[in-house]
Amino acid sequence: MRCPKCQHNNSRVIDSRQTDDGRTIRRRRECENCGFRFTTFERIEAAPLLVVKKNGSREEFNRDKILRGLIRSAEKRPVAMEQMEQVVDDVENRVRSLGENEVSTNLIGEYVMENLVNLDEIAYIRFASVYRQFKDMSVFLKELQEIVDKAKNGDE
């Protein structure tokens, strides 16, 4: 493993731990050259999963794209990076558990929104406005009203 500070090629593992989901191993490493400590994550390489986009094109599933969308949606909101990564983990696990080689962006978006609505309503609306491409104010207001109704029913 190459050191991110000095680019030296040898490091030693100081600590290894499984993450909460049990599918990833977190390793603390120390560069043998400069002593810099850094963290790496090891995950099982799963079979390639293709995402079918709205225009019919296909590309490989990329969890970083989902995370970037969540970060933009939750900007200036009290949502921790760990929470966003947990959403991405949950979405990836759900998609892979389908056992399909291809999955639509629609399904991925719905899974993200199911997690996000319970995490932060403002981030949810921001994500939904981009994902669902609200054409006019009435569609946007309808989505807001559904959240308000859901909140009222949850308080009763």
Side-chain angles (χ1 to χ4, degrees):
M1 182 63 57
R2 193 176 297 273
C3 173
K5 187 174 180 185
C6 72
Q7 303 303 312
H8 188 71
N9 208 20
N10 289 334
S11 64
R12 63 186 181 98
V13 175
I14 297 170
D15 182 41
S16 289
R17 295 184 186 181
Q18 257 188 2
T19 57
D20 293 335
D21 65 1
R23 298 179 55 172
T24 307
I25 296 176
R26 176 186 175 273
R27 299 194 192 280
R28 281 297 285 162
R29 296 178 176 271
E30 183 177 57
C31 177
E32 292 178 352
N33 185 46
C34 70
F36 182 72
R37 291 187 176 192
F38 57 100
T39 302
T40 60
F41 292 90
E42 198 174 293
R43 142 183 7 231
I44 295 172
E45 188 171 353
L49 177 65
L50 295 179
V51 176
V52 181
K53 299 175 84 167
K54 290 176 184 172
N55 67 6
S57 67
R58 287 166 171 72
E59 65 181 47
E60 196 167 336
F61 178 83
N62 184 346
R63 49 186 287 117
D64 291 336
K65 282 181 118 177
I66 298 170
L67 185 58
R68 281 194 307 269
L70 287 170
I71 289 169
R72 280 194 303 268
S73 299
E75 189 174 6
K76 297 183 182 178
R77 299 295 306 154
V79 180
M81 189 65 168
E82 285 178 356
Q83 292 173 302
M84 289 185 275
E85 288 174 349
Q86 182 59 48
V87 169
V88 176
D89 287 344
D90 182 64
V91 169
E92 183 175 11
N93 290 340
R94 288 177 74 181
V95 167
R96 290 199 183 276
S97 71
L98 295 172
E100 302 289 327
N101 294 334
E102 296 183 353
V103 64
S104 71
T105 55
N106 292 338
L107 186 61
I108 293 171
E110 293 300 323
Y111 286 167
V112 170
M113 290 193 304
E114 284 175 20
N115 282 278
L116 204 50
V117 72
N118 298 320
L119 191 59
D120 186 274
E121 292 170 345
I122 302 302
Y124 167 80
I125 287 295
R126 288 176 177 169
F127 186 89
S129 68
V130 173
Y131 168 70
R132 292 210 172 123
Q133 300 174 342
F134 293 150
K135 300 291 186 228
D136 56 38
M137 189 61 81
S138 64
V139 179
F140 187 73
L141 290 173
K142 181 179 175 236
E143 191 74 34
L144 283 174
Q145 189 60 49
E146 287 177 13
I147 289 177
V148 169
D149 293 343
K150 189 176 182 181
K152 283 182 185 176
N153 292 336
D155 292 342
E156 294 174 359

